[in-house]
Amino acid sequence: MLKLKRLTIERYRNVLPGTELRFDDGLNLIMGQNASGKTTLLELLSAVCRSAFDGIAHEEFVLDYEIRSERFVVSAHVSHLRADSGDGGEIFGVGPRWVDAYEVAVDDRVAEAQLTIRSRGNAPHASSTFMDVGGSVVSSSIDLIMGWSFIAATLSTRGGDWAVLRSELITTFAWTFRFDESLGCFSAMTGRLASLVGTAAVPIARAGLIEERDALGRTSTTTGAFVPAVLARALHRSFQSSTSSSKRVDLGGDERAMMVEFARMLGVEDVSITPNLLEHRVTDSSRSFQVEGFTFEITRADGTVIHHDRLSYGQKRLLAFCYYLECNPFSVIADELVNGLHHRWIDASMAALKGRQAFLTSQNPLLFDYVEFDSIEQVRSSFITCTLEVVDGREQMVWRNMSEREAQIFFDAYEVGIEHVGDILITRGLW
């Protein structure tokens, strides 16, 4: 699937202008002291992967990034800058104006086609868009900070390899929000109020369907946010087959297998899930349902069953991470993953990342002992160091990949196999 390969930051907060980061297809480990920008970087990576910048729509930024798969190369440029009103302040007292540029170029190596999207606008959420595909032009009015949803929806009308790219974009990046260092994702999946995690809100888990029958046939509209595909399919199947307005939901099959995996990772006998059903209506002409969050029940070794609120802090984080992984089968962004986790749970979590591109931070060197390295080049692309330095008289966040020399020092010690990875990093002055 698609992988984020490069990010260049020309302007964003107090990040050193001209910062360029390159990423490994597997694990990317972000190191640094407090206040060096690790969480800031993860939030930015989440916005870039989703190509949705609503969380920073009132800040200036200029970014370039590249996403690749075996079939596609997607290059994007996003610029969001305050317009100069002449006096350095607001225009007409209504707040800052913005000058925006959003350009996405897709090189399809199979079809040798070109897709370019350009946006220009004076507000963070309004612009005109022009799409050029093989000489044809499509114009529409959309949100500037649009994410891949608009691109994917437009591509789906063109079929062929464009439909493949649409599927890859949605499957890979739909819910790559930052898995936070606390219980924000746990609150979101259980239907609590959305938790603001830095600059981006983790959406409450929601799923819904509105199906109506008219003279021309049956039409349906689905809604959803932060819900694993397997659960969304199960909900639709259960409610579409129901002929009554009962609020009972039957879940089984693939979603049952998912719960078995959750139980295995938590080391309990069983985990069950019940949708928090807000509405289920069935009439002669329509049917609808709305789910907001899920209730989890855990069966212990002695057969007792407890509600998810009774879990320990570590259990809640691990359960939330299991859920997050189901939502993100190809990409993971996790902050302080080891918080509250026993080393066996860390081992299980790291094993579950296999096949995914992951961006991880940790103040605890234990996390890095679960990572294996095959080459100096992998070391260079896997480690990102974050520091806070005074550059040209200004305190700036300096983010960079390891240098070739640093990677050589690390890899030489790693191959000896005596020291822990964390110890190598600390004693060699690399962390």
Side-chain angles (χ1 to χ4, degrees):
M1 301 298 290
L2 293 161
K3 309 283 187 179
L4 178 62
K5 300 298 293 183
R6 176 186 59 83
L7 169 63
T8 301
I9 305 165
E10 295 298 337
R11 180 180 299 192
Y12 182 59
R13 297 185 184 176
N14 62 324
V15 178
L16 182 67
T19 292
E20 181 172 330
L21 301 174
R22 296 190 177 274
F23 306 110
D24 190 79
D25 288 349
L27 296 180
N28 294 273
L29 308 171
I30 301 169
M31 307 181 297
Q33 297 183 13
N34 292 338
S36 60
K38 300 188 302 298
T39 295
T40 300
L41 176 54
L42 287 190
E43 290 174 349
L44 188 59
L45 290 172
S46 174
V48 164
C49 286
R50 293 180 295 116
S51 199
F53 301 93
D54 48 309
I56 55 175
H58 298 291
E59 301 183 66
E60 291 189 314
F61 54 89
V62 180
L63 310 169
D64 286 279
Y65 50 98
E66 181 180 281
I67 295 172
R68 287 176 175 261
S69 68
E70 292 184 358
R71 304 182 73 174
F72 302 100
V73 179
V74 182
S75 301
H77 169 80
V78 184
S79 176
H80 185 61
L81 299 172
R82 288 182 176 85
D84 185 1
S85 62
D87 59 4
E90 297 180 351
I91 297 177
F92 307 122
V94 296
R97 282 182 72 184
W98 300 87
V99 176
D100 304 301
Y102 189 111
E103 301 180 6
V104 178
V106 180
D107 174 21
D108 183 334
R109 295 179 178 178
V110 178
E112 296 183 352
Q114 290 287 332
L115 166 68
T116 303
I117 297 177
R118 293 184 176 86
S119 302
R120 296 289 186 271
N122 292 323
H125 297 290
S127 66
S128 295
T129 297
F130 303 89
M131 178 171 291
D132 185 349
V133 181
S136 62
V137 176
V138 178
S139 177
S140 63
S141 178
I142 61 166
D143 287 346
L144 172 69
I145 316 300
M146 58 188 175
W148 295 122
S149 57
F150 172 78
I151 303 173
T154 306
L155 293 177
S156 67
T157 65
R158 304 188 177 271
D161 293 310
W162 298 113
V164 174
L165 176 56
R166 172 187 180 273
S167 176
E168 288 193 15
L169 287 169
I170 293 175
T171 303
T172 307
F173 298 123
W175 305 115
T176 48
F177 291 90
R178 176 173 68 93
F179 181 80
D180 66 294
E181 66 275 30
S182 187
L183 296 177
C185 287
F186 179 83
S187 296
M189 77 179 191
T190 54
R192 309 287 173 81
L193 292 177
S195 301
L196 282 177
V197 180
T199 56
V202 179
I204 295 178
R206 290 191 176 96
L209 170 71
I210 301 174
E211 189 177 74
E212 297 178 319
R213 182 185 293 110
D214 54 26
L216 299 178
R218 183 176 291 278
T219 62
S220 64
T221 301
T222 60
T223 61
F226 198 46
V227 173
V230 63
L231 280 183
R233 290 193 298 268
L235 290 168
H236 291 172
R237 180 182 67 243
S238 178
F239 287 114
Q240 285 181 316
S241 63
S242 175
T243 57
S244 71
S245 58
S246 168
K247 291 189 176 183
R248 183 176 181 273
V249 182
D250 295 319
L251 300 179
D254 291 340
E255 60 278 8
R256 189 58 227 146
M258 180 184 74
M259 292 296 102
V260 171
E261 178 61 16
F262 285 14
R264 185 194 67 79
M265 288 189 65
L266 269 80
V268 298
E269 289 298 307
D270 191 27
V271 177
S272 66
I273 184 171
T274 304
N276 300 333
L277 187 61
L278 299 183
E279 178 185 277
H280 183 204
R281 297 181 180 179
V282 178
T283 68
D284 292 339
S285 60
S286 68
R287 73 176 71 218
S288 65
F289 76 86
Q290 183 178 355
V291 168
E292 186 170 282
F294 299 90
T295 296
F296 296 84
E297 290 185 322
I298 289 78
T299 303
R300 293 168 164 168
D302 62 0
T304 59
V305 179
I306 62 171
H307 186 272
H308 61 242
D309 279 341
R310 292 183 56 194
L311 294 175
S312 70
Y313 176 81
Q315 286 176 312
K316 289 177 179 178
R317 289 207 83 232
L318 184 57
L319 179 61
F321 190 58
C322 291
Y323 183 93
Y324 179 94
L325 290 175
E326 283 293 329
C327 290
N328 295 285
F330 298 103
S331 184
V332 168
I333 299 175
D335 207 349
E336 300 294 343
L337 178 59
V338 302
N339 276 6
L341 300 188
H342 187 274
H343 68 88
R344 291 179 182 172
W345 288 354
I346 300 173
D347 190 24
S349 297
M350 295 298 288
L353 293 178
K354 298 295 185 182
R356 293 174 168 89
Q357 185 179 38
F359 303 90
L360 310 176
T361 70
S362 178
Q363 297 283 14
N364 188 335
L366 178 63
L367 174 71
F368 301 139
D369 286 332
Y370 294 88
V371 184
E372 297 179 353
F373 301 94
D374 299 322
S375 66
I376 294 174
E377 186 53 41
Q378 183 192 5
V379 173
R380 290 195 67 188
S381 63
S382 295
F383 281 112
I384 297 171
T385 59
C386 299
T387 58
L388 200 60
E389 303 176 15
V390 176
V391 181
D392 297 329
R394 183 187 175 202
E395 190 174 70
Q396 296 184 320
M397 291 186 286
V398 179
W399 301 337
R400 62 181 180 84
N401 294 102
M402 270 192 184
S403 68
E404 186 172 353
R405 178 178 177 276
E406 290 170 332
Q408 181 74 63
I409 291 172
F410 172 87
F411 194 67
D412 288 346
Y414 174 78
E415 283 198 304
V416 173
I418 297 176
E419 299 174 90
H420 292 288
V421 170
D423 292 336
I424 296 172
L425 294 168
I426 294 171
T427 58
R428 300 328 190 263
L430 303 175
W431 187 358

